[in-house]
Amino acid sequence: MSLYAELAQRLREHIELGFYKAGDRLPSVRQLAKEHGVSISTIQEAYRLLEMDCLIEARPKSGYFVPEAKQQSGVPNISRPPQRPLDVSQWEEVLNLLSNRTENAVCQLQHAMPEMREATLKPLIKSLQELTKQRPYDGMTYGDIRGDYSLREQLVRLAAASGCSLHPDDIIVTSGCQEALSVCLRAVAKSGDIIAVESPSFYGSMQAIKAAELKAMEIPTHPTEGMSLEALRMALDQWPIKAILVTPTVNNPMGYIMPEPRKRALYELAREYDVAIIEDDIYGDLAYEFPRPKSVKSFDEDGRVLLCSSVSKTLAPGFRVGWIAPGRYRDTVTHIKYVSSSMCPILPQIAVANFIRHGGYDKHLRRMRALYQNGRDRLLADIRQYFPVDTLISYPQGGFVLWVELGHQYDAVKLAQVAASHGIYVASGQMFSATGKYRHCMRLNFNDRTAEIRRNSIRLLGQLLQSDAALALAS
Amino acid sequence: MSLYAELAQRLREHIELGFYKAGDRLPSVRQLAKEHGVSISTIQEAYRLLEMDCLIEARPKSGYFVPEAKQQSGVPNISRPPQRPLDVSQWEEVLNLLSNRTENAVCQLQHAMPEMREATLKPLIKSLQELTKQRPYDGMTYGDIRGDYSLREQLVRLAAASGCSLHPDDIIVTSGCQEALSVCLRAVAKSGDIIAVESPSFYGSMQAIKAAELKAMEIPTHPTEGMSLEALRMALDQWPIKAILVTPTVNNPMGYIMPEPRKRALYELAREYDVAIIEDDIYGDLAYEFPRPKSVKSFDEDGRVLLCSSVSKTLAPGFRVGWIAPGRYRDTVTHIKYVSSSMCPILPQIAVANFIRHGGYDKHLRRMRALYQNGRDRLLADIRQYFPVDTLISYPQGGFVLWVELGHQYDAVKLAQVAASHGIYVASGQMFSATGKYRHCMRLNFNDRTAEIRRNSIRLLGQLLQSDAALALAS
């Protein structure tokens, strides 16, 4: 990263953390140049970047200021879901999202799909090609029902990076994280039981709750700190909750990382009320900070945390390599995994194991973290520039999706429909609630490097929002 | 097939169908030669083959007879399971079977694993290798949640061979038949519901019943005609059964094919009582007769039959390519399939689609039908020769497993343990019942061509049965 980009990044953080507030004047170019021992043009270049991102504005003869009028950098407020367990609906909306016909696609912002064209992924592709060529019969037979041992050994290594001390026998390989979540829900709860979830929450786990005949209890969730533990305690007091399902490290859809003390407190609370925790860690290794944050599982002393993950976001979803560290639920989880889809294909497991063992995984993630962080900053800037001034945006600490909260007068479902006719696809917010809340919200990805196309698409979305009366709920 | 082998085959069928009964004298060599217009040595050769199989015995100066003392060719009687819905147990036994450590394996008769080394399978392997090389990114992305369209088009063709008229949109691809069965059970029944099943029945579907919190109602099942429709009607009268789960075309573990009129009657009965039918057709294309028998689904007029299948037995299990034709349950099945494991990998689907389209599938199956039928005859002969005289054996009409019913004094569970210490693995019968019946039974495969090794293993099993007092329950 060049000197001026680094400086811009530091200033950006200061602004976003509130060190400089709306209306504040920033240090003069001369003053800052002296302070950092760099040239005046370097500072000018850094300020220019921030200006492009609408984070600062130049006032003639006065200097640079944090804009007063537009507080677009605000994050959403804590959510206020209904305070009772409810059946999950919204399946048709999810199916519609999954079935999008995208022949006309200009820009696909709707899926949580990783960028897969980076050179750092090539050794994995090559390895799978070689295995398919050299060991075809291993690819055709039934393997270990718990997953290939060589992979489980490497997953132990990954888990160690999030503070977990596991043995290969503590891990069960699944067909992606979706199967992991589904199996865990069925392992800890029976028909009619209540599961506490974040709000908003990933639609895949919500639909798994529905399919298992469970009820979802949405807990108010803070856009930077995660599930409210105070609200969770009240819910635990009031309802016979069976398990807590959370995505605390790089949340989907919000992107926050629950602070470590709160993760520990979450575990203690689960212990106090004797409920299980299903921890979806699928984005955990994509936290921009390194080393990555600890998982809730790392605090688990009595096996009540079932950690679920996969390589679908870190590497590629098509490998269908996911896993569970099921703690004390191992026997039940093994049973349900077996009936769910029997064993998983062997060769992708071996390829991923080799990729981790030989350092390819770490190298790839270093690359992706930088790429995604850059994508986040660009998308944030685009939204701030083009969306209505009252738009609130989550500030992801990892991964490649963020959450946009429009003014309550907007209908993101209608927006999504109109946008689709222009070839621009977004995931409207109601799918991330059990009951169709968040119609004024949407999840957008910043997963690839086609920033110019995305910028134009965000501009068009902004124009639609600010012009098309059909999008306003009030109309 | 040579002339004498053909003749032997015809005589074998006559004996097995009871045309010649125990104690009957067969036509003299001279008489038969004249009748068929062949040489005496041809008849002698045919009789020699039957003698080797213990189907006939030569009595000096008297001619050839069907043996009196040993009625080993008898098939088991109709089963008599408990006449009430029950929770499924036996998971530990199944897990033990799945987890067999087989480093010392001499002969693995325990798994329903197809032979995969035939040259006719090579084009499929090659196709997958090429796809992996040429279209790696298709292998890494999310595909259609219902499965690749090109595969569903070909599956429509396969379904037509069993009398079904389907459209690609009537099919949902799954991760093997296990996921298909599991999804269908969850689609048609809710926690506590009762499912009618054959007895004995495939342990994988029984365990899926358990995991879905359902109860199994085992229906008396005839070893050549399948589930007793009379008993089924009584059960339907008496219990609120939600669905009937059957494997009517090449049953696992018995190998029978339910006669077509009975399949139609089964459908009519389901319609009369308004219950669903889940039809496991995974072995259907391996029926020795050609064209293959019709499925129950082929009689379905109102979409109440959910057909489940996969290529795990016809081609290879490692591809994890299965499917459901869910009839009227399509929406629910799509939902549960999505939460179960999201989409399936694309490249194996395309490889299988190409294999079917280009005729490789049909060619491979022609080869496998002949191979397995030969394997059946050899295994039957071996068991008749070496096992106790009161042993009953099913007479498979397709596929590569059969069911052995020992005298009630034997314990196949103990036999399996002792045999395993000799490197010989069998699937003991209690796993094929909800409640651990059939301890005196076992399922054996005849899936490969290592007939000599298998013969020796059957001999050893026979010796163990006839010598080791520890195997007798009475002891």
Side-chain angles (χ1 to χ4, degrees), chain A residues 14 32 84 115 120 140 152 199 277 292 311 400 414 422-423 436 450:
Chain A
H14 282 183
L32 215 57
R84 60 185 190 282
E115 162 63 37
T120 44
M140 290 159 66
R152 289 187 280 135
S199 183
I277 294 177
R292 61 150 289 173
V311 299
F400 45 80
K414 286 189 196 164
H422 292 272
T450 57

Side-chain angles (χ1 to χ4, degrees), chain A residues 105-262:
Chain A
V106 175
C107 189
Q108 301 203 38
L109 303 165
Q110 81 276 35
H111 292 136
M113 180 85 94
E115 162 63 37
M116 296 179 292
R117 298 272 173 174
E118 285 296 301
T120 44
L121 210 50
K122 293 237 156 76
L124 173 59
I125 297 170
K126 191 134 186 285
S127 162
L128 187 58
Q129 286 167 345
E130 283 171 6
L131 286 165
T132 308
K133 188 132 191 93
Q134 290 158 8
R135 300 170 59 176
Y137 293 102
D138 286 334
M140 290 159 66
T141 188
Y142 287 115
D144 190 321
I145 184 67
R146 294 162 305 178
D148 191 76
Y149 196 82
S150 75
L151 173 63
R152 289 187 280 135
E153 280 180 323
Q154 296 306 312
L155 296 179
V156 163
R157 258 194 55 196
L158 293 195
S162 72
C164 298
S165 175
L166 299 174
H167 183 274
D169 287 346
D170 297 329
I171 291 175
I172 292 162
V173 176
T174 60
S175 182
C177 195
Q178 183 63 45
E179 183 172 60
L181 291 167
S182 217
V183 165
C184 287
L185 281 167
R186 296 175 68 192
V188 302
K190 298 280 168 208
S191 176
D193 282 346
I194 304 167
I195 309 294
V197 297
E198 293 143 341
S199 183
S201 203
F202 169 50
Y203 50 78
S205 39
M206 299 279 255
Q207 294 302 323
I209 287 174
K210 175 182 169 70
E213 303 169 43
L214 309 172
K215 286 177 188 300
M217 172 86 211
E218 291 181 73
I219 305 294
T221 299
H222 193 276
T224 61
E225 304 218 305
M227 182 182 276
S228 159
L229 299 184
E230 300 68 30
L232 176 60
R233 177 181 288 278
M234 282 173 61
L236 287 164
D237 275 333
Q238 200 173 353
W239 305 98
I241 288 168
K242 215 47 180 274
I244 306 160
L245 172 53
V246 282
T247 310
T249 310
V250 187
N251 175 262
N252 176 10
M254 305 268 260
Y256 61 75
I257 294 173
M258 190 183 225
E260 197 175 303
R262 290 179 71 87

Side-chain angles (χ1 to χ4, degrees), chain A residues 91 113 116-117 129 132 137 139-142 178-179 182 207 313 317-318 320 335 339-343, chain B residues 91 113 116-117 129 132 137 139-142 178-179 182 207 313 317-318 320 335 339-343:
Chain A
W91 162 239
M113 180 85 94
M116 296 179 292
R117 298 272 173 174
Q129 286 167 345
T132 308
Y137 293 102
M140 290 159 66
T141 188
Y142 287 115
Q178 183 63 45
E179 183 172 60
S182 217
Q207 294 302 323
K313 308 305 178 188
R320 307 313 294 134
H335 181 243
V339 305
S340 171
S341 68
S342 187
M343 60 85 198
Chain B
W91 163 240
M113 180 84 93
M116 297 180 290
R117 299 272 173 174
Q129 286 166 345
T132 309
Y137 293 102
M140 290 160 67
T141 189
Y142 286 116
Q178 182 64 44
E179 183 172 57
S182 216
Q207 294 301 323
K313 307 306 177 188
R320 305 314 295 135
H335 182 242
V339 306
S340 171
S341 68
S342 187
M343 60 86 199

Side-chain angles (χ1 to χ4, degrees), chain B residues 107-115 250-251 253-255 286 288 368-380 382-383 393-403 443-451 454 458:
Chain B
C107 189
Q108 300 203 39
L109 303 165
Q110 82 277 38
H111 292 136
M113 180 84 93
E115 163 61 37
V250 186
N251 175 263
M254 304 267 262
L286 288 174
Y288 304 144
M368 300 317 286
R369 279 192 292 267
L371 187 77
Y372 294 144
Q373 187 164 8
N374 191 259
R376 174 198 67 179
D377 292 341
R378 284 163 176 255
L379 179 57
L380 280 172
D382 293 342
I383 296 173
I393 322 167
S394 74
Y395 190 64
Q397 302 300 305
F400 44 80
V401 295
L402 55 70
W403 182 250
R443 189 191 68 180
L444 304 177
N445 73 42
F446 44 90
N447 59 0
D448 63 14
R449 289 166 301 176
T450 56
R454 195 166 56 222
I458 294 294

Side-chain angles (χ1 to χ4, degrees), chain A residues 294-310:
Chain A
K294 282 190 173 183
S295 59
V296 176
K297 178 77 179 168
S298 71
F299 302 109
D300 188 13
E301 285 171 11
D302 58 359
R304 70 174 64 247
V305 183
L306 302 94
L307 184 81
C308 298
S309 194
S310 86

Side-chain angles (χ1 to χ4, degrees), chain B residues 167-368:
Chain B
H167 183 274
D169 287 346
D170 298 329
I171 291 175
I172 291 161
V173 175
T174 59
S175 182
C177 197
Q178 182 64 44
E179 183 172 57
L181 292 168
S182 216
V183 165
C184 288
L185 282 167
R186 296 176 68 193
V188 302
K190 298 279 169 210
S191 175
D193 282 346
I194 303 167
I195 309 294
V197 298
E198 294 143 339
S199 182
S201 204
F202 168 51
Y203 50 78
S205 39
M206 300 278 255
Q207 294 301 323
I209 287 173
K210 174 183 170 71
E213 303 168 40
L214 309 172
K215 287 179 189 296
M217 172 86 212
E218 290 181 73
I219 306 292
T221 299
H222 193 275
T224 62
E225 306 217 304
M227 183 183 275
S228 160
L229 300 182
E230 300 68 30
L232 176 60
R233 177 181 288 278
M234 282 173 61
L236 287 164
D237 275 333
Q238 200 173 353
W239 304 97
I241 286 168
K242 213 49 179 274
I244 307 159
L245 171 55
V246 281
T247 308
T249 311
V250 186
N251 175 263
N252 175 12
M254 304 267 262
Y256 60 76
I257 294 173
M258 190 181 222
E260 196 175 302
R262 290 180 70 87
K263 282 179 178 164
R264 185 191 292 272
L266 173 65
Y267 168 71
E268 295 298 344
L269 197 55
R271 193 166 177 168
E272 184 181 336
Y273 286 84
D274 193 21
V275 300
I277 295 177
I278 300 174
E279 180 177 20
D280 180 354
D281 193 49
I282 191 169
Y283 295 92
D285 285 359
L286 288 174
Y288 304 144
E289 64 186 80
F290 185 84
R292 62 150 287 175
K294 282 191 172 182
S295 58
V296 176
K297 177 78 180 169
S298 71
F299 302 109
D300 187 13
E301 286 170 10
D302 57 358
R304 70 175 64 248
V305 183
L306 303 94
L307 184 81
C308 299
S309 193
S310 86
V311 300
S312 297
K313 307 306 177 188
T314 48
L315 306 180
F319 297 124
R320 305 314 295 135
V321 172
W323 60 90
I324 304 169
R328 62 161 82 154
Y329 299 94
R330 189 175 63 176
D331 293 348
T332 315
V333 161
T334 308
H335 182 242
I336 300 177
K337 158 57 189 161
Y338 163 65
V339 306
S340 171
S341 68
S342 187
M343 60 86 199
C344 293
I346 299 171
L347 300 186
Q349 295 183 59
I350 298 176
V352 168
N354 291 342
F355 192 60
I356 300 172
R357 183 187 296 113
H358 299 138
Y361 183 86
D362 288 342
K363 188 175 170 192
H364 179 64
L365 283 205
R366 270 199 301 281
R367 176 79 195 107
M368 300 317 286

